[in-house]
């Protein structure tokens, strides 16, 4: 945006989400002078910057929900939001696949999203490196655990110079081991992690965007049209109490625990992603390692 004149011959502008200032001689200053911090124009720009940051976060959160929950997205909606830089930053270069009449994603027509236009539809770079247009009403933003030949896709993305604003291709994924199945109701690989204080585990879960409820870190999910949640026990004592993590479980139908053998690939991967993120902040027992991760 342009420069806005303010008191004392100074001018201010917004550079991304940072307020910048120049003096009457036109020289850019390293920071806004203290005497201008309560100036009406400076306050207005700071409020705008805060709104832009919230808006960018909301856009990323929504696109992440589409990815994690495997929700088909109308092409018309993508075309409407595409001119917005915050939406475009979250969507550009994500792998998208058209949804066919049967409701399934057509993986052979997938590609990296480069444009969304109300008249011409979506422009992508397909997996052969050609720029094409998709003629469809909905697309799926596939979770990486569902993408075949993920390593090849990552290599191809690197060759194209793809820089995704939202983690998709380079998102960590966990495949369910063949030994994990049957009627067991929880996965214990991330149990018994010690935290000096419960609030450390809680803060770590919240910092990654997870909810904390009833002693569990919670990750809401949708798979094959069914709503469920992954829940990882982190403790329900007072915040300053020592805490140990427990098992990871998946729940459906208002709290019924789902047997591990029935957990789908996206729910499995995202549940373990949550547990691993919290677990990494534990107190390390081995004295040869750092005291805390």
């Amino acid at each position: 945006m342009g420069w806005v004149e303010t008191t004392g011959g100074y001018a201010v502008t917004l550079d991304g989400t940072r307020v910048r200032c120049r003096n009457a001689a036109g020289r850019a200053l390293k920071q806004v002078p203290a005497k201008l911090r309560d100036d009406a124009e400076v306050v207005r720009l700071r409020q705008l910057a805060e709104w832009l940051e919230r808006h960018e976060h909301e856009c990323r959160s929504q696109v992440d929900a589409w990815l994690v929950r495997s929700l088909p997205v109308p092409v018309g909606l993508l075309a409407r939001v595409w001119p917005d830089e915050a939406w475009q930053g979250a969507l550009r270069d994500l792998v998208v696949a058209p949804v066919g009449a049967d409701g399934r994603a057509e993986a052979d027509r997938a590609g990296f999203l480069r444009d969304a236009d109300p008249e011409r539809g979506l422009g992508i770079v397909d997996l052969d490196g050609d720029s094409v247009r998709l003629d469809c009403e909905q697309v799926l933003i596939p979770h990486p655990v569902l993408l075949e030949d993920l390593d090849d896709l990552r290599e191809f993305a690197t060759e194209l110079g793809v820089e995704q604003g939202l983690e998709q291709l380079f998102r960590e994924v966990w495949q369910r081991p063949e030994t994990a199945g049957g009627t067991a109701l929880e996965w214990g690989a991330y149990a018994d992690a010690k935290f000096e204080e419960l609030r450390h585990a809680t803060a770590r879960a919240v910092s990654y965007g997870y909810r904390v409820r009833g002693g569990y870190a919670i990750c809401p999910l949708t798979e094959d049209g069914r709503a469920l949640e992954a829940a990882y026990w982190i403790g329900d004592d007072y915040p300053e109490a020592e805490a140990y993590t427990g098992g990871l479980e998946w729940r459906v139908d208002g709290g019924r625990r789902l047997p591990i053998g029935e957990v789908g690939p996206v729910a499995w991967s995202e549940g373990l992603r949550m547990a691993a993120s919290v677990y990494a902040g534990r107190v390390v027992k081995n004295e040869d390692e750092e005291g805390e991760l």
Side-chain angles (χ1 to χ4, degrees):
M1 63 179 293
W3 291 92
V4 179
E5 299 296 329
T6 186
T7 57
Y10 292 95
V12 290
T13 189
L14 195 61
D15 181 8
T17 57
R18 181 182 177 185
V19 178
R20 294 190 177 274
C21 182
R22 70 184 184 189
N23 61 19
R27 182 171 64 87
L29 306 179
K30 292 183 178 179
Q31 58 185 14
V32 177
K35 60 185 177 182
L36 291 182
R37 287 177 183 169
D38 295 325
D39 180 87
E41 294 297 341
V42 174
V43 171
R44 183 178 66 84
L45 288 183
R46 285 197 173 122
Q47 290 173 338
L48 176 58
E50 291 170 1
W51 182 87
L52 289 171
E53 287 183 324
R54 290 195 303 272
H55 176 57
E56 182 177 350
H57 175 74
E58 290 166 358
C59 294
R60 292 179 184 277
S61 295
Q62 181 60 69
V63 177
D64 189 71
W66 290 337
L67 182 149
V68 171
R69 301 182 188 184
S70 303
L71 299 174
V73 185
V75 169
L77 173 60
L78 296 181
R80 285 196 297 273
V81 302
W82 187 260
D84 185 323
E85 290 184 4
W87 278 106
Q88 190 174 144
L91 289 164
R92 187 176 177 82
D93 277 333
L94 292 182
V95 175
V96 298
V99 176
D102 59 357
R104 296 181 178 275
E106 300 176 359
D108 59 329
R109 297 175 60 202
F112 297 96
L113 182 60
R114 290 290 171 88
D115 183 44
D117 183 89
E119 301 297 330
R120 298 186 297 163
L122 299 187
I124 66 168
V125 174
D126 68 18
L127 303 185
D128 292 322
D130 298 322
S131 296
V132 299
R133 289 275 169 183
L134 291 179
D135 180 17
C136 60
E137 294 184 357
Q138 293 182 318
V139 293
L140 190 70
I141 304 173
H143 189 283
V145 78
L146 301 177
L147 293 171
E148 296 182 4
D149 303 320
L150 179 57
D151 289 339
D152 292 341
L153 272 173
R154 287 171 171 171
E155 183 177 348
F156 184 45
T158 301
E159 292 174 0
L160 287 177
V162 164
E163 295 183 5
Q164 295 181 327
L166 185 81
E167 281 190 335
Q168 183 193 34
L169 285 182
F170 294 94
R171 191 184 194 96
E172 288 185 283
V173 297
W174 281 260
Q175 301 283 353
R176 188 175 63 190
E178 294 182 2
T179 54
T183 59
L185 296 176
E186 69 175 29
W187 184 250
Y190 297 100
D192 301 320
K194 176 184 175 181
F195 287 84
E196 290 184 351
E197 297 182 11
L198 173 59
R199 62 189 179 94
H200 296 164
T202 301
R204 189 169 181 89
V206 171
S207 72
Y208 281 95
Y210 300 112
R211 305 172 187 172
V212 176
R213 184 180 73 239
Y216 290 88
I218 303 292
C219 177
L221 298 159
T222 301
E223 188 148 20
D224 293 332
R226 178 172 64 172
L228 69 158
E229 64 182 21
Y232 177 48
W233 176 259
I234 57 175
D236 62 353
D237 210 333
Y238 58 92
E240 292 77 19
E242 185 177 85
Y244 287 85
T245 61
L248 172 66
E249 60 188 57
W250 290 262
R251 303 168 180 167
V252 293
D253 301 331
R256 181 177 66 86
R257 300 170 78 189
L258 189 68
I260 285 179
E262 298 179 24
V263 177
V266 174
W268 178 269
S269 184
E270 287 299 310
L272 267 69
R273 183 173 184 259
M274 173 180 67
S277 297
V278 176
Y279 184 85
R282 71 196 183 283
V283 175
V284 177
K285 297 179 181 179
N286 189 336
E287 295 181 357
D288 294 332
E289 298 180 49
E290 295 181 7
E292 189 167 322
L293 292 179

